[in-house]
Amino acid sequence: MSKEQTKDLLKFIKPFDNDIVELVLWLREFVWDLYPQTNELIYDNYNAVAIGWSHCPRTKTMEEMLIIHDKFSYK
């Protein structure tokens, strides 16, 4: 994903509190500014969301990773 593509990420982090969502979006912007030529990989799990940045589309080469986990439940 590119920096401008946020549709999927916003869907995945919707269950989290607004404070968490704002922090995630700020951190994502911060990392994109540090590594503008990377690929973003987003993994949505039932209780966490992981965002990683890599110079190629493989998880082995990820430069940075952000894990979002909070106490919530899907209803």
Side-chain angles (χ1 to χ4, degrees), residues 45-58:
N45 197 339
Y46 65 93
N47 63 353
V49 175
I51 307 170
W53 291 267
S54 174
H55 289 286
C56 71
R58 295 180 4 211

Side-chain angles (χ1 to χ4, degrees), residues 27 30 50 53-54 61 63-64:
L27 287 169
F30 179 77
W53 291 267
S54 174
T61 61
E63 301 288 332
E64 302 294 332

Side-chain angles (χ1 to χ4, degrees), residues 2-75:
S2 69
K3 182 178 180 178
E4 293 77 25
Q5 295 173 311
T6 60
K7 182 181 175 185
D8 290 335
L9 176 61
L10 291 174
K11 181 177 76 172
F12 297 149
I13 62 175
K14 185 177 179 181
F16 295 96
D17 292 338
N18 286 336
D19 292 342
I20 300 290
V21 171
E22 288 178 24
L23 180 60
V24 167
L25 294 175
W26 184 87
L27 287 169
R28 178 181 183 264
E29 180 96 12
F30 179 77
V31 173
W32 268 112
D33 289 343
L34 290 176
Y35 303 102
Q37 301 300 320
T38 58
N39 296 310
E40 182 179 55
L41 306 167
I42 300 174
Y43 298 95
D44 181 33
N45 197 339
Y46 65 93
N47 63 353
V49 175
I51 307 170
W53 291 267
S54 174
H55 289 286
C56 71
R58 295 180 4 211
T59 57
K60 292 189 338 185
T61 61
M62 283 194 185
E63 301 288 332
E64 302 294 332
M65 181 168 264
L66 173 64
I67 308 291
I68 305 103
H69 186 277
D70 194 8
K71 293 180 181 178
F72 69 92
S73 62
Y74 287 105
K75 296 185 183 199

